[in-house]
Amino acid sequence: MDGSYSKLIDTFSSEISELKQEMVQPAVPVDREPESAVLRGLESEVSGLFLQASDCAGTGGARDSGYDSLRRRLSVLDRLTQTHPIWLQLSLGDEDARRILQPQPPGAFMVRKSQKQQRKVISLRMEISSNHAVLDFLIKESQYTFSLEGSGISFADLFRLVAFCCISRDVLPFTLKLPEAIATAKSPADLEAVAKLGIGFWDSALSDRRKEAACEPQVVVEEPAQQRAVQPERQSAPPRDSAAPGLRTRAPSHLERSQSKGALCFINPLFQQTHQQPDAPNPEPGAKATTALPANNNHPQQQQQQHREQASSGSPLRNGTHTGPAASQSGTAGGGVALTRDKSVSRSPPPPRPPPPRSRSVPRRPAPPKQRSMPETVAWINTPPSAPPQKEKSSLLGRLGSSFSSSPFGSSLSFASSSSASSPPKRISAPIPVPSSWGKKPPSGPDVDGLRCHLALDDQTIEQAVSLSLAKLSQRNASSVDTASPSPRSSLLEASRGPGEGVGVGCQRPAGEEGGVSARTRGNSERLSDLSFSTSSSDSLDFSSHGFPLSAQSPSKGGRGPAGDSSMEEEEDEEEEEEAGEGECGAESDQEMRPPFKAKKRASAGTFVLPRALRGHLRKVSGVFSSLMTPERRAVRRVVEQAQDKSTYFGCLVQDHVSFLLENGGLGHTSGTELLQTLRQFMTQMKSYLLQSSELDPPIESLVPEDQIDQVLEKAMHKCVLKPLKATVEGALRDFQVKSGAWQQLKENLALAKARRPQEMGVDGALPPDPVAIEKIRHKFHTMHKMYSPEKKVALLLRVCKLIYTIMEDHSGRMYGADDFLPMLTYVLAQCDMPQLDTEIQYMMELLDPSLLQGEGGYYLTSAYGAMSLIRNFQEEQAARILSSETRNTLHQWHRRRTTQRSTPSVDDFQNYLRVALQEVDTGCTAKTLVVRPYATTEEVCQICAEKFKVPDPESHALFLLTEETTQQLAPDTHPQKIKAELHSRPQVQPFYFVYRRIANPNTAADDQLNGNCEPN
Amino acid sequence: MAIIRELKVCLLGDTGVGKSSIVCRFVQDHFDHNISPTIGASFLTKTVPCGNELHKFLIWDTAGQERFHSLAPMYYRGSAAAVIVYDITKLDSFQTLKKWVKELKEHGPENIVVAIAGNKNDLGDIREVPMKEAKDFAESIAAIFIETSARNAVNVEELFQKISRQIPPLENPEVDSNESFKLTRQAAPSSRRCC
């Protein structure tokens, strides 16, 4: 194991040094940066896949320096990224896709959204001999990742997924094949020209169809040497067109021979699931074909060795120990891609999959949980730490943690070192310097941001890392010892009490945050691992513009250049300025509050060697930052960038709007609330514009999974609208308050209220927070004041509420409910004596994303509003100690206003989709969203239903409209979409469902199921 | 294959003339008697076929109140078409319309397609703006003219169809078709008819 590992390292070293040499050549045009060879801290399973834009030398033997190097600079990912208007056709219908792909050669593909499945698919032109001309392969989207259904490898975005599929078939029957025009394009300009055709490309002369429609597939999946004989005739086929290279996937052993000088890039998937079941069922029929193909990682070690030898020899020749004719290779050279794999890559070949090598010295990485439902932190907290799976997790953490914390270059190393990185002992005792933003992130959408430790390295760094790791290698025994630090826990259980704890719903701070380090780390270990993959993936092949301008960037600094502040921190700073405040707040932290990221990081600076070693480097490389980002952050950044670009409609709107408000402030608005409403409306509309127009290029759907899109856009809007306007809006709100006299009244009453004892405020029994605690709360409010993001403000408010609850309970040992809480909150707010909180609350109430109003965010906002109202009207209300009817009214109106906005159906609701549930006695209820034209009749909808639900006896089924009280069968000539629109336009929309079920079968039991299982339209 | 073209359309006009109702009728085919005044602007889309193309209308429905007036330029600036709506029962709204026409001439995009819609056509008995007057005015500025009723779904689709037809087809679909995907460039509308 070690032996082959060091060989791998050797390979990398030699490749990298050659790469570097090449890149230093000044003549190379840099407008298009070279692909970054990004090494990532990974477990070995993931490593070792790299794409090599294969050499072009084959085209004539002679290397044309200009075009050649340029061409080699276009990685598959570049090609894909630039030409997405051709192959990324999300709105393309099933039939159209079939029609377009039919005349194409096998391997031709498109990515689109299947109407039937309502999911993204890769539509792949199958072999001529296949039963199906075109098959759809489902793409699975989960927390920030894209993967093929049935595959364990996930990617940060669609482009990476597709790029990967171009070089490795994974669960596909064969690799995807880029159209020749794309695969052979010599420059970005060529690609751009082709991309201009958009979908028209497929019908144009440029597509391969005329020439190749009848040809054998171009994609040749070559088998490992020992299996070669299986298809000799294919390999010996003469190249059809030597001037028009296509793609070849080669077995690892072939790669060795390819130019080590070729631009090198890594695709590292986000998640990789080790396939525990050798014969995992493959969902796609098309994949059956794959069984015929031999698994090609049988002798990884051997291949590895070959790889190393050849790569280090640097020989440009493609000799063939066993390959097909050189001719075929040279024919494909230009756009070709070579695939190599690390021996331990567990990206298994298609089924049947051999069990991955058992000899691995590391504990197996547990299969990641179904990502979509990332468990909440709370769950982790409550799980007994001794539970075996947990143990494994923590061991994983141990490993990862160690690579973060203690080993120099640990992360970068582990890509190669199979993360066997047996951790130095200090890891155990030292707190793992996990980026603290972990804990701050919502469990619902685990914001891996903070924790994805972004270590994109330029090749120089890699080189160093590699050599260093080589040095270290001897020390690192591949120990499989589970070195996980036992997780302290106890206190967490405690922390998980109280109402503030389940915060996850509506806000960002998971309960776990208050839970204490170990819970967090343990909980996050899972994420961290994910994370380190994701990182990797993110940007080795990043979009166009960020390569690593290494040669230019003070190479003298090397990886260990004088370190300023950690570059990671810089990034963090840049990305999360607003969180700086939070940091402060944490710094003074309450007992269960975690010290902030930065403090932590600094404290552990000694152990945090890796980033420091790199930072001198990273900070130089401006473009690299975006490549360091998580998919979510990258998408946010993209939107924000576009918002700055006044040449786009979107940018124009945002900039004009912002500057208009900067100039005019609250002028023209009658109240603060109205100003905020306008802002909220603007952001909401811009989000929907971005979503529905094609202004974002590439479309956001290709960058983040669909369930994350709204969140990403919301965040981006906060950044590009609320951030620049923060001071203006605050000023305007204050002005309105002052003008109306509310400010004065509030101040006076606050002073009065502050003098009161808790009992006078209605506090009954519970002990109030002491002055120290009040000071702490004040501090949190100050921090809140510094933020522009309503979500983050609410998160802080929730922390305050949680703190108050905790104090109440700690003092008395009993639980308190909302009745006790409101008076206490009022008392605390009065003690804090911060009149500006009033506008803070207003700000949150009006600007918070409607989806967050439903959860605790909404609840505690209401509480805070109520408490402030009590104070505002203290003189009048102190006797009654209840909310005035006016306040109630306002709250009621607010709630309706903000939530009806939410329930306003989207256009798509009306335009095309109808959610219909199939209700059956035995199987319960399954719902599908169907495409139903506005004027489709019930009869037609029934037909669609029969087809989609595969109902054998459609004549005995009918469409029903269910509301809470009633059930009615719809007449064949009615229009369900109109009925739906009508229902939605009623002042008070009641839940209703369209149900497709058997006629005359009044099954009452099923009704209950229905209510439980179906979502309203 | 139908090519999808995105067309930005902006609705302008006095408050209460029924801009949002027209959009709502067009996009969702429904009418709400108690629609509340638009704040800022709202955004909706609808795709309709036009010849061998699909036109995806990206509709910005602006707020009619005076205080939002200054926001409107942001929306019409990049638009392929503007629909100026007035209320046939309110002469004032027709005067406001004229101001909008003037503003568009001065500050709007050069080739913007202008459509004039006299809404509330169902309230003919309290009409204040004669159809002929409005029609003549529209002709004088080479604008589309149509009377609509969002309430009764009269001429709403037609309004947008007329706009569609004023948008020139793409010269060379093979080269330009990516406009449907990269819409930073708006199709430059001219007065040629396509279908």
Side-chain angles (χ1 to χ4, degrees), chain A residues 27 86 101 190 218 417 453 463 567 719 774 807 903 968 1004:
Chain A
I86 294 172
L101 288 174
D190 289 355
Q218 283 245 314
S417 72
C453 179
E463 201 180 353
S567 51
K719 218 163 211 170
I774 293 286
I807 291 169
S903 66
Q968 66 187 110
T1004 45

Side-chain angles (χ1 to χ4, degrees), chain A residues 84-85 88-89 91-92 96-97 99-100 192 195-201 203-205 642 646-649 652-653 656-657 660 664 668-670 674 677-678 681-682 685-686 688-697 904-908 910-911 934-935 978 981-982 984-985, chain B residues 1-4 6 8-10 24-34 38-48 56-61 65 67-79 153 157 173-186:
Chain A
H84 72 81
L88 183 61
Q89 300 289 348
S91 58
L92 192 69
D96 285 336
R99 195 185 57 70
I100 291 176
E192 197 180 325
K196 270 195 175 160
L197 299 178
I199 199 168
F201 170 86
D203 296 323
S204 74
Q642 185 144 352
K646 283 202 81 169
S647 68
T648 66
Y649 189 78
C652 229
L653 266 176
D656 286 354
H657 221 91
F660 177 80
N664 297 294
H669 292 280
T670 54
E674 197 199 61
Q677 279 176 39
T678 316
Q681 174 80 354
F682 178 68
Q685 300 305 339
M686 291 322 288
S688 99
Y689 173 71
L690 284 177
L691 209 54
Q692 297 186 49
S693 73
S694 58
E695 184 141 345
L696 279 180
D697 177 35
T904 301
S906 75
V907 186
D908 285 341
F910 290 114
Q911 235 174 318
Y935 289 98
K978 295 194 109 176
E982 160 68 22
H984 270 296
S985 63
Chain B
M1 164 125 5
I3 292 161
I4 301 177
E6 292 184 0
K8 295 192 188 75
V9 176
C10 173
C24 197
R25 173 61 76 187
F26 177 57
V27 171
Q28 304 172 349
D29 197 22
H30 105 266
F31 181 80
D32 184 350
H33 286 271
N34 303 312
T38 307
I39 296 172
S42 78
F43 176 76
L44 289 166
T45 68
K46 174 154 177 163
T47 307
V48 293
K56 180 171 186 178
F57 285 105
L58 306 180
I59 305 167
W60 284 104
D61 174 20
Q65 287 137 304
R67 64 202 169 87
F68 290 117
H69 189 116
S70 41
L71 298 183
M74 304 178 195
Y75 296 99
Y76 67 64
R77 205 173 292 152
S79 291
E157 303 248 349
E174 199 151 288
V175 172
D176 285 343
S177 58
N178 77 314
E179 286 217 69
S180 51
F181 304 98
K182 276 189 172 179
L183 274 205
T184 43
R185 275 170 299 158
Q186 190 75 38

Side-chain angles (χ1 to χ4, degrees), chain A residues 16 18 103 109 140 169 174 225 412 457 465 537 588 603 643 678 749 771 814 920 1013:
Chain A
I16 282 162
E18 283 171 56
F109 68 96
K140 198 168 75 190
R169 64 193 169 97
F174 41 81
S412 68
L457 314 180
S537 71
E588 61 138 19
T678 316
N749 281 329
R814 75 176 183 91
E920 281 179 321
N1013 296 348

